[in-house]
Amino acid sequence: MASLCPSYIQVRDGRYYFRLRVPQSLVQGLGRRELVRTLGTSDGIKARAVASRIALRLPQIWQLLSRNRARSAEELKALAVRWLEEEIAREWARLDAGGFSVGLGDGALSVSDARDEHRRLFGRDAELALEAAQEEYRRHDFSRMTEAAERLVVQDGAATPLKSREVAIVAKAVMEAFGQLQESKIAWTDGEVDRLPPMLVEGRDNPDVAPTVLPAVGVDAPQVGAPKSSAPGRTVQNAIDDYLAHQRQAGMKEKQVTDAEGDLRVLVEAFGADKLIAEIGTAESGMIWSALVSLPPHHRRYPELADLDLFEKALKAKELKLEPLHPGSIKSYLGSLKNLFEHERMAGHVTANPFAEKTVIKTVRRKKLEKPFRSDELETLFRDTVFAGAKSAERPYDPGAFLVNDWRFWAPVIALMTGARIGEIAQLRPCDVHEREGILVLDFNEEQGKSLKTDSSKRLVPVHSRLVALGLGELARERSAHPLLLPDVPKPVAGDHGAGLSKWMSERYLPRLNLKTRPGLGFHSFRHSLKTLLRSASVTDSISNHILGHGARSVDERYGSVELKAARDAIEKITLPQAVMDLRPRF
């Protein structure tokens, strides 16, 4: 069957691209056999219409390329003057806007003083930039200006791949312009508002040319490609490993490092671990963005998507009509990718961050998942054999008189009556159950190598009287010789302490009780259920947020603290399901 798309159209991830096969006579000059550019649409009809118009112009395009001539050094240096004119206007607007004075106000400085401080900082910024430019110029390192030089050459009508020598000449000229611009900015802050960079004066045919502020260098420009500081074989995996090591050294929590590592794996899944990091540009970041908006949650767990690369997974997910990632998850992926490339850019391994402007486009607001358990669901759950009576510890799902007294019982009841996160419960130690001000509390902290999600997660949560009656204090004393309060809780998965517990609840226990009937139900639902119970008991948000370990949601919540007695009284106000009230003590 004939293809529905002409040979010059490609489709990937639902996006259409125009593929230009380069005539053999131009292959050597262009340095490639074909050019591929996006058509900017996922509509097949529009794509074919646009591609057809381009195809009609192909003979003229190839003729133009055949006539393409190398530009003289003077023509190329003139491009730097164009760049300088744009920068002059931008920097004047920046000086006039007073951006450096933002945050200096709030009554601390008068308008006049803030304006003077802004001009001082503007000048100091220029001095530091000039020092850096002079040092790079001495080393013949113009790599920082490569991106600007390539843009200028393209805007000037280059239809062929950028020639390294042409870009090198422009990059060197832009570096000279940059240095002269910084000297002019310093002069502006000293009152010489009519000072213009010498290169701009030359460009305007003014014979009175001041000498350049940069030291003289050799006549021949070096080859400009990847930044000099970039390792020749620096791969995607090298970049990821270095970035994660840097984040650990900077004090990032291990859970956050693990999450970032999972996000960054999409680069490996897309292009392979050995892909050179400098070869990933705007086009590649766009391809990843397109894939992310089609991938399903937990895409690595689907057997149907196994052994596929990232782009193949996205296409397959569309075919299977799998639910796509939540915008918040896409935002997490893009944030990790943006941070990785910013780290690489600051280190000089890449010249630009291709993910800098990638964001989440919320076209349709998805219905919020119902996460709390309903009262009838809680009744069903807590009347099951694990809580009401089982055959034995080895047969917890068969009815009997044996009282299960391990993590399968304690983790859910602790979660419902404290609202603690899964990972927080899994990391609890016997010593974290103690008295403070005469009140039995759970102490969520980062001692002995434990990790918390946020700073606000560090808190003391009063133990509900029902949890006390069930024997939580006795449990802590009995387990005092163990490093964990619940020693047999499923082991962490990839640094996530709650992953095993969550998987048990979502994939084994709730389905067994026929409770996995609504999207969003899982172990985390206990936390949402407590929030609902607190709200029903008219507990203020400031107290419930403290109990749950949420950060301050308003200005008022940022001041003062919640007294332990107030938190205890709030906990005691909730109305627990009757099934929980009927549970028999474990000690």
Side-chain angles (χ1 to χ4, degrees):
M1 181 176 178
S3 172
L4 296 177
C5 292
S7 61
Y8 47 77
I9 296 181
Q10 286 185 330
V11 185
R12 186 153 198 176
D13 296 333
R15 304 286 293 181
Y16 286 82
Y17 296 82
F18 188 84
R19 183 177 66 177
L20 296 81
R21 294 186 182 278
V22 178
Q24 189 62 38
S25 60
L26 296 176
V27 168
Q28 184 174 359
L30 291 177
R32 60 184 69 183
R33 296 185 177 278
E34 63 179 30
L35 302 174
V36 179
R37 294 293 183 271
T38 179
L39 290 170
T41 181
S42 57
D43 186 316
I45 296 176
K46 290 182 180 178
R48 293 182 186 90
V50 173
S52 297
R53 289 196 293 271
I54 297 175
L56 291 173
R57 296 179 56 198
L58 277 180
Q60 291 89 344
I61 293 174
W62 300 133
Q63 187 177 10
L64 176 64
L65 293 178
S66 298
R67 293 200 306 264
N68 184 52
R69 62 180 181 83
R71 280 160 288 194
S72 67
E74 292 304 315
E75 289 175 306
L76 293 171
K77 289 178 182 178
L79 300 180
V81 176
R82 180 195 301 172
W83 176 89
L84 186 54
E85 289 176 333
E86 295 173 355
E87 290 299 309
I88 286 282
R90 185 177 293 111
E91 291 298 330
W92 259 115
R94 185 163 168 248
L95 176 61
D96 194 56
F100 278 107
S101 62
V102 173
L104 298 174
D106 299 331
L109 294 176
S110 66
V111 174
S112 176
D113 289 342
R115 181 71 178 177
D116 290 343
E117 180 65 2
H118 159 69
R119 295 180 72 87
R120 185 188 70 80
L121 292 173
F122 184 87
R124 179 57 179 159
D125 180 64
E127 291 173 357
L128 294 173
L130 179 59
E131 288 180 18
Q134 287 176 326
E135 180 58 29
E136 291 173 13
Y137 200 84
R138 287 190 184 96
R139 300 197 310 266
H140 292 240
D141 182 5
F142 312 125
S143 57
R144 187 151 57 100
M145 300 303 172
T146 301
E147 184 178 8
E150 291 177 343
R151 176 174 58 83
L152 289 166
V153 173
V154 170
Q155 288 177 347
D156 195 51
T160 61
L162 303 175
K163 299 177 182 178
S164 59
R165 181 165 180 78
E166 289 190 354
V167 174
I169 293 172
V170 177
K172 176 186 173 185
V174 171
M175 180 67 87
E176 292 173 349
F178 178 82
Q180 294 178 12
L181 174 61
Q182 305 314 310
E183 187 178 65
S184 293
K185 287 165 60 178
I186 296 169
W188 297 345
T189 60
D190 291 335
E192 298 179 50
V193 294
D194 57 347
R195 174 67 176 269
L196 289 176
M199 185 180 291
L200 190 58
V201 176
E202 281 184 299
R204 295 176 178 178
D205 296 323
N206 190 324
D208 299 321
V209 179
T212 179
V213 299
L214 293 171
V217 295
V219 176
D220 293 332
Q223 297 292 312
V224 176
K228 281 191 174 183
S229 55
S230 176
R234 186 169 181 80
T235 65
V236 163
Q237 194 62 57
N238 295 150
I240 292 174
D241 291 344
D242 286 355
Y243 171 73
L244 296 176
H246 177 268
Q247 295 302 87
R248 285 190 176 93
Q249 187 177 10
M252 179 183 276
K253 298 179 185 299
E254 187 59 33
K255 173 64 165 59
Q256 294 173 308
V257 174
T258 302
D259 290 344
E261 185 175 16
D263 291 343
L264 296 175
R265 279 177 58 193
V266 297
L267 277 179
V268 176
E269 293 167 339
F271 305 115
D274 296 329
K275 172 81 169 179
L276 295 181
I277 193 71
E279 293 179 353
I280 297 177
T282 305
E284 288 75 17
S285 67
M287 292 168 64
I288 288 181
W289 184 93
S290 297
L292 288 176
V293 299
S294 300
L295 286 176
H298 308 296
H299 60 91
R300 298 183 181 105
R301 299 181 185 176
Y302 283 81
E304 305 95 321
L305 306 182
D307 301 323
L308 301 178
D309 67 26
L310 188 73
F311 308 117
E312 292 168 340
K313 283 183 180 180
L315 286 174
K316 189 69 174 179
K318 279 186 176 181
E319 291 176 9
L320 298 175
K321 297 182 180 180
L322 300 177
E323 181 185 9
L325 283 168
H326 186 276
S329 299
I330 299 175
K331 185 177 180 180
S332 174
Y333 277 106
L334 294 177
S336 297
L337 290 165
K338 188 181 301 183
N339 290 340
L340 169 70
F341 276 88
E342 191 60 23
H343 180 267
E344 289 295 287
R345 188 184 71 82
M346 295 296 288
H349 299 307
V350 298
T351 57
N353 187 339
F355 290 91
E357 297 182 359
K358 292 292 184 292
T359 186
V360 181
I361 301 176
K362 297 182 180 179
T363 54
V364 179
R365 186 177 179 85
R366 302 198 321 171
K367 183 179 179 181
K368 188 176 181 180
L369 298 177
E370 286 188 277
K371 289 188 177 179
F373 288 114
R374 296 193 302 257
S375 57
D376 62 304
E377 291 169 334
L378 289 173
E379 289 288 339
T380 299
L381 194 152
F382 285 109
R383 291 196 185 282
D384 185 51
T385 56
V386 169
F387 303 95
K391 187 74 173 177
S392 65
E394 292 73 27
R395 298 172 63 183
Y397 306 128
D398 294 332
F402 177 79
L403 295 181
V404 175
N405 194 28
D406 59 19
W407 60 271
R408 289 168 292 192
F409 171 83
W410 285 107
V413 296
I414 290 173
L416 177 65
M417 287 184 263
T418 67
R421 298 179 178 91
I422 315 172
E424 294 172 343
I425 294 173
Q427 296 178 85
L428 278 173
R429 300 179 185 277
C431 59
D432 293 328
V433 183
H434 58 79
E435 284 196 4
R436 180 72 63 87
E437 300 175 15
I439 300 172
L440 189 67
V441 299
L442 284 179
D443 188 348
F444 296 105
N445 55 66
E446 294 183 297
E447 297 171 2
Q448 301 179 24
K450 291 181 294 182
S451 63
L452 296 176
K453 184 176 181 180
T454 63
D455 291 337
S456 57
S457 301
K458 185 178 180 180
R459 65 202 187 279
L460 296 176
V461 178
V463 176
H464 192 283
S465 58
R466 185 66 192 135
L467 201 50
V468 174
L470 289 174
L472 181 62
E474 289 82 355
L475 175 71
R477 285 189 286 273
E478 182 185 85
R479 303 280 169 82
S480 60
H482 292 275
L484 292 176
L485 180 67
L486 306 176
D488 297 324
V489 73
K491 298 296 185 290
V493 178
D496 186 348
H497 292 274
L501 193 52
S502 176
K503 185 175 182 180
W504 170 76
M505 178 63 69
S506 296
E507 299 180 14
R508 294 184 59 191
Y509 196 56
L510 291 181
R512 197 186 69 81
L513 298 177
N514 294 320
L515 290 180
K516 195 67 174 172
T517 56
R518 292 184 294 123
L521 286 184
F523 198 97
H524 201 70
S525 298
F526 292 118
R527 182 170 166 82
H528 286 269
S529 295
L530 179 63
K531 180 69 175 180
T532 300
L533 294 174
L534 289 168
R535 188 177 290 119
S536 299
S538 300
V539 174
T540 63
D541 284 344
S542 59
I543 294 179
S544 64
N545 287 338
H546 168 77
I547 292 170
L548 293 167
H550 284 149
R553 303 299 173 88
S554 65
V555 175
D556 290 342
E557 291 183 28
R558 295 172 189 164
Y559 296 93
S561 59
V562 175
E563 293 185 357
L564 198 57
K565 184 178 181 300
R568 190 271 314 274
D569 292 344
I571 286 279
E572 293 297 333
K573 283 184 179 181
I574 66 174
T575 301
L576 291 167
Q578 187 59 44
V580 175
M581 301 302 295
D582 292 341
L583 292 176
R584 286 176 287 173
R586 264 38 185 182
F587 292 91

